[in-house]
Amino acid sequence: MEDRITKTLALLLDGSWKEAFKLYHEIINDLSKKESVAETILNGENSQCASEAEKKVSVTTEFERWVTLNEEELWDLGHIAYLFDDTETAESLIEEHYSRKPNDIEGMVFLGMIYKKRNKPYKSELMFRAALSEDKDNMKAVEELVYLYLETDRPLDALAWVQKLLRLDPRTPKNYFLAGKALENLDKKEQSRRYIIAGMILDLYGLSGGSLQSFYEARLGESITIADLFDGKEVIEEWVGKNQHTTAGTQQVAEENSIQ
């Protein structure tokens, strides 16, 4: 099984999506048959020893799915399922992975992403917050919370978490775009514009070299003044300065006063 999962990943990396999709479904079909056989054996083999055997069966079938897969196989196959938008299978696989490795932060974040994609915002939020309870500065969990709150029309919550994202990484354009979106949803158009321009400045002078040009034109229009550029530069300097000088003791104050 491990070889077939590895082959599917290799096909995906090679861009052979059609072949990978076919092999993925063969794997899932074979696993479904194995799981069904295993459950039948457990339910029927020791029927005469009812009470103890039934307890074991119920624990196995309710809490331990995909019994023929190890943790690495669960993880890889869960990602493949997610890539093919088979989110129901991905959820089942990664929930099982999480049940076996409940302290795995990456697993918590990925499960939260699956729940979000399956329109389960409450469960998604719980997983991202669980990850942050293990690592309060986990940038992926923070970023995914921002996306979740933007998608579920909670702009104030999105704004609160995007501030943390900017403190953790004030040099990434996307973080300013997310702040701009949260501010826009709060009907703070001018502040939103300043943050989007800040993101544009970082993007234009970064490695991507202006990869979001159409986004800027749609959001900002074609004319950007010198004053606009200075405003954007001030926003960047503000956050870069906070990132350099904020200590653990003053972090809460910075959070409260950052974006007004």
Side-chain angles (χ1 to χ4, degrees), residues 4-255:
R4 295 169 74 194
I5 294 172
T6 301
K7 184 178 179 181
T8 306
L9 287 169
L11 287 168
L12 286 169
L13 289 171
D14 194 42
S16 304
W17 283 70
K18 188 174 181 180
E19 293 176 55
F21 186 73
K22 181 181 177 182
L23 184 55
Y24 163 72
H25 275 285
E26 289 176 4
I27 292 169
I28 293 299
N29 287 337
D30 288 349
L31 281 170
S32 297
K33 291 173 186 175
K34 288 181 180 179
E35 296 289 322
S36 176
V37 168
E39 187 172 339
T40 301
I41 291 171
L42 283 169
N43 278 308
E45 191 175 55
N46 298 314
S47 56
Q48 63 269 37
C49 312
S51 102
E52 195 59 36
E54 282 172 10
K55 286 179 185 176
K56 289 180 181 176
V57 169
S58 104
V59 169
T60 300
T61 55
E62 186 175 355
F63 297 109
E64 191 178 342
R65 295 162 292 178
W66 307 104
V67 292
T68 58
L69 296 176
N70 61 38
E71 290 166 11
E72 185 177 351
E73 290 168 337
L74 283 167
W75 184 252
D76 289 341
L77 199 55
H79 277 76
I80 294 168
Y82 187 81
L83 284 173
F84 285 131
D85 207 29
D86 184 5
T87 53
E88 183 177 357
T89 302
E91 179 180 319
S92 177
L93 288 160
I94 301 303
E95 280 184 339
E96 176 60 27
H97 181 273
Y98 175 62
S99 75
R100 299 185 196 180
K101 296 183 69 177
N103 297 318
D104 178 41
I105 296 173
E106 194 176 355
M108 295 174 195
V109 174
F110 186 41
L111 187 52
M113 291 169 63
I114 295 170
Y115 286 145
K116 179 159 68 75
K117 200 168 185 179
R118 288 184 57 75
N119 197 27
K120 299 179 178 181
Y122 176 70
K123 294 181 78 172
S124 179
E125 181 178 11
L126 286 178
M127 294 313 302
F128 296 142
R129 288 185 176 273
L132 287 165
S133 71
E134 296 288 332
D135 174 11
K136 65 182 179 63
D137 291 336
N138 186 281
M139 286 184 58
K140 184 62 176 173
V142 175
E143 182 181 308
E144 289 298 332
L145 266 180
V146 174
Y147 282 122
L148 176 66
Y149 292 143
L150 287 173
E151 291 174 16
T152 54
D153 197 25
R154 295 169 61 180
L156 274 174
D157 290 322
L159 186 60
W161 283 95
V162 84
Q163 291 179 72
K164 182 176 180 69
L165 196 60
L166 283 165
R167 283 201 309 277
L168 292 171
D169 183 6
R171 294 178 175 83
T172 294
K174 179 173 61 175
N175 298 342
Y176 291 88
F177 300 145
L178 290 172
K181 180 62 178 174
L183 287 162
E184 179 186 318
N185 291 355
L186 287 165
D187 204 28
K188 297 184 177 182
K189 306 296 184 186
E190 289 304 314
Q191 292 179 48
S192 173
R193 182 179 175 84
R194 291 178 71 220
Y195 274 81
I196 291 172
I197 289 172
M200 180 193 73
I201 292 169
L202 286 169
D203 185 41
L204 289 172
Y205 287 95
L207 295 175
S208 51
S211 60
L212 300 172
Q213 189 63 41
S214 60
F215 173 82
Y216 311 139
E217 291 176 0
R219 293 279 174 170
L220 303 170
E222 295 183 2
S223 59
I224 298 172
T225 67
I226 296 296
D228 286 334
L229 294 175
F230 273 112
D231 283 345
K233 186 170 177 288
E234 284 180 359
V235 170
I236 296 168
E237 289 174 347
E238 176 187 2
W239 282 105
V240 170
K242 285 177 180 177
N243 187 57
Q244 289 173 342
H245 303 301
T246 299
T247 62
T250 60
Q251 197 168 30
Q252 185 175 354
V253 175
E255 186 172 0

